[in-house]
Amino acid sequence: MSAIKKILIANRGEIALRIIRACRDMGIRTVAVYSVADRAASHVHLADESVCIGPAPARDSYLNESAIITAALLTNCDAIHPGYGFLSERAGFVEKVESLGLIWIGPSAKLIAKMGDKVEAKKTAIKCGLPIVPGSDGAVDTLESALSWAEKIGYPVMLKAAAGGGGKGMRPVMSASEMAEAFQMTKAESRAGFGDDTLYMEKLLLHPRHIEFQVLADQHGGVVIFGERDCSLQRKNQKVMEECPAAALTQKQRDDMIEICRAAVKKMGYTNAGTLEFMFEDGQFYFLEMNTRLQVEHPVTEMVYGVDLVREQIRIAQGEKLGYNQGNLVPNGHAIEFRINAEDPETFVPNPGKVTAYNPPGGLGIRIDSAMYAGYSVPPTYDSLIAKLIVWAPNRTACLLRAQRALDEFVIEGVKTTIPLQQKLLQNKDVKTLNYDNHWLETFLAESKK
């Protein structure tokens, strides 16, 4: 396969900027796409070329498959990089891209479809030897079936949309008396949100941590698994802080899971970047899902391992071998990512508007992934994530101290942000001592309002 010379970036904001920078480091030209609302966005001006693909609503622009493919063909691109979100996990779009002779920088359409369907993903996980949460062996189609499976699994259980994601289409059921209402509500929510009301059921873990493993696999059978990320600090199933490595694990737990994940990825024939996500409770891992794309939190892995994951995605897509094996991946230090959203830090209501002042922190071990600048207007149309602060230090204690300093330095004025929440979290004893699980932040926020 010949080298990629020009890439269309089918995304916006900080991830589009992140991909542009990786391409420039590789001498690859870039084409940005943008909606009318993003005409003044950083990625539009920093790319080599840019194409307007439609009005502000995402469905008319960043989700407009025809407009994006047309832009790629008109600008003579070799490949499309989807970033994350939007079209990154749409198997049908991948098939269209490849049918026109363009290179897709990501896994195959077949794997995206298989791992995007939660029922199929679970079946695949079982076949590939990944530990799973006890649950139904397929779709739960009727209330009678739901009650039967709940009795077998044991309450509490979780009803989940097979086509769900992003924390949506999920509902806990604590007892049989709650099942009828929960079943109907989850089916309706799934149908409205995903166009598919297929549900499945899993045992509800009461105090789990969210641990995930970064995957890279080339087209020649080379597979590596990077050390894990702990993403347990979440609000409404949305990650707030992510760390690498997961300090709560023992070295044996880490090593064992890396080997289990490597074997699974090899068996499923996966290629490019991906993430295997697990719940971790009482020393046991349980497969949650596989994200068939780059993750928002990928920078913490890059900081600890010194590997540019976007560069590796591009290298793999153009047919290159990884050039290293599992033994070459040696972690160095600790990294934490803080997601900074344009939201009220107490109510979490989005707060779009004009950024009147922007002064990011600096110094050793500090990285900012953001498309912000003073004078930029945060649109109300898209996700409220406006910056990612990534902090590295030789160990977790030093990383927490450096992060506090960096957050104190960070100035964003004109819009409300979640920086005050991040500052509070770093001062909390439970966060400092790793005494938290997936539900801790919700409890912390509820108690803060009393």
Side-chain angles (χ1 to χ4, degrees):
M1 190 180 291
S2 59
I4 294 171
K5 295 181 175 62
K6 186 189 284 191
I7 294 174
L8 180 134
I9 302 163
N11 219 299
R12 63 178 300 280
E14 62 86 14
I15 187 58
L17 213 54
R18 167 75 185 86
I19 298 165
I20 289 170
R21 287 168 174 157
C23 289
R24 285 200 168 181
D25 287 350
M26 300 176 74
I28 296 172
R29 291 180 62 81
T30 55
V31 176
V33 293
Y34 64 95
S35 71
V36 172
D38 275 339
R39 193 178 300 277
S42 295
H43 74 285
V44 176
H45 300 291
L46 288 178
D48 294 296
E49 301 173 56
S50 58
V51 179
C52 183
I53 52 170
R59 66 178 179 275
D60 299 323
S61 51
Y62 297 106
L63 291 173
N64 187 333
E65 298 180 5
S66 296
I68 288 171
I69 290 174
T70 299
L73 294 173
L74 288 175
T75 54
N76 296 311
C77 286
D78 308 304
I80 292 179
H81 195 306
Y84 47 70
F86 292 134
L87 298 171
S88 62
E89 293 179 287
R90 288 199 180 182
F93 179 62
V94 179
E95 290 174 345
K96 291 176 186 176
V97 168
E98 294 182 334
S99 71
L100 292 168
L102 295 167
I103 297 170
W104 174 255
I105 302 176
S108 69
K110 181 180 178 181
L111 261 297
I112 290 175
K114 183 178 287 188
M115 302 314 286
D117 182 306
K118 299 300 187 293
V119 173
E120 283 301 311
K122 186 175 180 180
K123 289 178 181 177
T124 302
I126 294 169
K127 288 178 184 176
C128 294
L130 293 172
I132 64 165
V133 178
S136 60
D137 59 8
V140 176
D141 297 324
T142 65
L143 176 59
E144 291 70 24
S145 175
L147 287 165
S148 176
W149 272 111
E151 286 300 317
K152 293 176 186 176
I153 297 165
Y155 289 97
V157 296
M158 180 77 84
L159 284 169
K160 294 186 174 184
K168 297 183 176 70
M170 301 164 58
R171 185 166 276 100
V173 186
M174 307 307 288
S175 66
S177 63
E178 299 177 11
M179 183 61 78
E181 182 180 2
F183 184 77
Q184 295 303 326
M185 288 180 68
T186 310
K187 280 187 82 69
E189 184 178 297
S190 178
R191 191 183 307 113
F194 309 107
D196 181 349
D197 66 358
T198 306
L199 304 183
Y200 68 105
M201 184 184 293
E202 288 182 344
K203 176 71 177 175
L204 175 61
L205 302 176
L206 294 176
H207 300 289
R209 300 182 83 92
H210 184 123
I211 308 290
E212 61 187 34
F213 292 81
Q214 175 70 53
V215 173
L216 273 185
D218 64 27
Q219 299 173 26
H220 309 277
V223 176
V224 292
I225 308 294
F226 292 81
E228 73 296 338
R229 301 184 287 249
D230 188 330
C231 309
S232 302
L233 286 172
Q234 302 180 8
R235 174 186 167 270
K236 293 188 175 179
N237 296 299
Q238 297 295 311
K239 299 164 187 174
V240 173
M241 278 173 52
E242 301 102 340
E243 303 189 37
C244 178
L249 298 188
T250 66
Q251 191 59 48
K252 185 177 188 310
Q253 288 169 336
R254 178 176 295 114
D255 292 343
D256 288 350
M257 277 307 294
I258 284 174
E259 287 309 307
I260 289 170
C261 290
R262 280 192 75 220
V265 171
K266 278 180 170 287
K267 190 166 185 178
M268 69 177 70
Y270 193 87
T271 57
N272 215 275
T275 304
L276 288 166
E277 301 199 356
F278 298 88
M279 294 289 100
F280 177 71
E281 185 174 87
D282 298 329
Q284 298 295 315
F285 284 92
Y286 303 97
F287 175 76
L288 180 64
E289 65 179 345
M290 186 173 197
N291 285 306
T292 51
R293 53 169 168 77
L294 199 64
Q295 293 278 90
V296 176
E297 59 271 23
H298 76 274
V300 291
T301 300
E302 295 182 325
M303 296 290 272
V304 169
Y305 285 89
V307 174
D308 182 333
L309 292 173
V310 176
R311 182 189 183 99
E312 293 303 285
Q313 283 190 292
I314 296 168
R315 289 184 60 251
I316 291 168
Q318 61 187 15
E320 294 184 46
K321 292 184 178 181
L322 287 174
Y324 47 90
N325 56 37
Q326 194 67 47
N328 299 135
L329 297 181
V330 181
N332 176 33
H334 195 91
I336 306 176
E337 176 179 288
F338 302 83
R339 297 195 190 192
I340 297 168
N341 293 347
E343 297 173 354
D344 185 297
E346 295 184 2
T347 65
F348 301 100
V349 173
N351 191 240
K354 188 174 182 178
V355 177
T356 55
Y358 179 75
N359 185 32
L364 184 65
I366 302 297
R367 167 177 166 180
I368 305 293
D369 279 19
S370 176
M372 288 295 95
Y373 58 85
Y376 175 74
S377 290
V378 180
T381 323
Y382 312 113
D383 187 89
S384 58
L385 179 69
I386 56 172
K388 300 185 313 198
L389 166 64
I390 305 101
V391 181
W392 177 92
N395 55 65
R396 188 174 189 267
T397 300
C399 196
L400 291 171
L401 285 169
R402 182 171 286 171
Q404 187 72 63
R405 186 265 296 171
L407 286 167
D408 291 345
E409 284 183 21
F410 212 147
V411 175
I412 302 176
E413 295 179 355
V415 295
K416 294 180 180 180
T417 76
T418 51
I419 288 175
L421 170 63
Q422 305 283 14
Q423 291 171 314
K424 286 180 184 177
L425 292 177
L426 287 188
Q427 294 164 3
N428 187 277
K429 182 180 178 182
D430 286 342
V431 174
K432 291 179 180 178
T433 60
L434 294 166
N435 185 32
Y436 57 83
D437 59 25
N438 282 21
H439 311 301
W440 181 91
L441 182 54
E442 293 278 9
T443 303
F444 170 79
L445 292 170
E447 290 178 349
S448 298
K449 293 178 181 179
K450 292 178 181 177

